[in-house]
Amino acid sequence: MSHRPAPLFANVVLLLSVALLCVIGAFFASMASVQQPGTLLHLTRADWQSEDASGFSKPSLQQDSAALPSSAWQQVELPFAPPIALLEQAGSASATRTTRTSWIRISTSDLPPTAAPLALYGARIKTDGTIAVYVDGQLVHRAQQQGPLWNSTRTPLWIELDHATAGGTPPHEVLLRLEHTRNAQVALSSLWIGPVESLRGRHGARQWLQQELPAMLSAAFMAVGVFALFVWFRRRDETGYLLFFNLAASSFMRGLHFYVSQPIANDWFAWLTVNALFWLVMVVHFFLRQLHGRPLRWLTWSVVATTTIIGFLTMPVLAIVQNTPQVTPLIYAVAALMGTMVCLVGGVSAWRCSNEGRLVAVGIGICVLLGATDWLLQNNFISPEGWYLGAYTNAVTFSVFGALMYRRYVHAIGEVEELNQSLAERLRRREAELQLSHQKLREIERLQTISAERQRLMQDMHDGLGSSLISAIRSVEGGGMSDDKVSQILKSCLDDLKLTLDSLEPIEADLLLLLATLRYRLEPRLEGTGVSLRWEVQELPALEWLDPSSALHILRIVQESISNILRHTRATEIRVGTSMAGAGVQVTIEDNGQGFDVQRVTVDPTASGRGLQNQRRRAQAIHGVVNWESKPTGTRFVLWLPLHRVAHAA
């Protein structure tokens, strides 16, 4: 079964994601373009100076630029991004105890008067310390009381200036105070000042695309990762789900500092942020290795060893590297090198093995490129007004691995469908075999039934009809029997033969229908004897066990009872009735003739031949019971039959 739609689906997902981002960007760009002409001031020139400090400190409530050394001011262009010496930044531990304060002064005297509330907007301020903004000497904004600031690089500057002077006079000067470690440098995008409503679209677009949307993507990725973890709990052999959870968790922790202020202690926050990137690369390596199936022991040991060493060296409790925030750019360079190796080696191996491997290799390559642009932006190699594209690595990763999960889902459905088809085909073959076997069994059963019925009839005719005929023949040959006696014997044989034939009629387990056939046979005989027949039967439930053999036993029992009445009792009336009796039914035959001694006859079979004994034997054969009650005024015979008969082993 072909599974080609899955890679196509993955490509469609990636294209739709890019198209969605373009549409969102165009939408917010259109929002940003809605402004009041002539009321915005784009600030692209500034004065800058820097001074040493002994550590991070709380900014004062007032600060006049005139109080700063006038000779130290240098004119710079905005956006301002001085080059960074990475090796100097990762210098001695003493550098962590020395900070610098950079001052940026911007003139806003060209802003036209307006009565509308004003706002100051900037795409980005980069620093690893505190930020303070003064307007005409008054503190209007303060970010982070003291210590490194972890979420400034993606947070646009937005200050609403609600203290405009009377008469709508705009502010004349904006002063920015940026604290940072000694060897680290700062960066500042160009600034905008103007009415709040004119700048709100710019700020909203930047805020949503750089923080809110990536935060939602990261949270969604983490939620799906938790779902994959619970799937792994039920299917421990599917390690891909566990790797997917680790990938989502590492990615979530890697970008956590962009979306929250300060959830844990500063040093541990730095350790978590830095090492999450290495964990992410390591999980991707194991995911790729699972796809292409090659052990790549040298690369695996290198990745695990590098991740372990970096985590050990940067651990705050050991204090081996005391300036983790400052060496972060170099650590990220190591992570970029490790990620490139994993992408190249694992990606090439995965590319050769399957379409899934190619998809993952392309996705990882895109993520590496996005992360490289972030590293360049973070280290002032490109303009601070650029976009952090690494914020969307979660979207790319989610799309790629979501496509893999989709492919496996489709593959699983295909396997289930193939299995169902195979089972259906096997079931059809099995049904055909069973039907053929059933036909053969029914044919065998039919032959066995015919054979058994033939044997039963032969045995019955031998014991009944055959015995009577043989006796009649011997009597005739011996000359000791009159013609009337011979005629009576022959009539009895004829009745016996008719009973045998009647037992073969389909009666559908209906006892009354069976008795009706007997009545049909007996009435002509009774009419010639002058004995009347009263038929007093009632509806009875069906006897499911009533087969031809059992029917013949019942007919012979009833016939024997009526024959005994006609031969011995001199009765003028016979009453036949049926009724329910406990867990069975009973057939009652009564006459008004002379009775007999039941006890003597049943104990001494020679007293009345074998008729009563045959009735009792036949009743036992069908799990029934016979009983006689005789008085001088008549005899009552009862045949009890069960409604349900327990089958016995042959």
Side-chain angles (χ1 to χ4, degrees), residues 560 564 568 596 600-602 604-613:
E560 181 69 24
N564 288 337
H568 305 296
F596 65 96
R600 184 178 67 85
V601 171
T602 55
D604 184 10
T606 61
S608 60
R610 302 188 59 85
L612 300 185
Q613 295 300 327

Side-chain angles (χ1 to χ4, degrees), residues 444-455:
I444 294 174
E445 182 181 4
R446 186 181 67 84
L447 295 176
Q448 289 178 346
T449 302
I450 293 174
S451 176
E453 193 66 18
R454 182 184 294 113
Q455 291 179 1

Side-chain angles (χ1 to χ4, degrees), residues 498-509:
K498 290 179 180 179
L499 285 180
T500 301
L501 295 176
D502 289 339
S503 69
L504 298 177
E505 292 291 332
I507 57 176
E508 298 180 353

Side-chain angles (χ1 to χ4, degrees), residues 39 70 142 145 162 254-255 314 341 360 372 398 400 445 457 475 479 509 534 554 628:
T39 59
S70 58
R142 178 174 54 197
Q145 295 290 339
D162 55 356
R254 168 68 188 95
T314 57
M341 289 294 295
V360 173
F398 182 78
V400 169
E445 182 181 4
L457 291 175
S475 297
R534 293 177 56 188
I554 295 173
W628 295 269

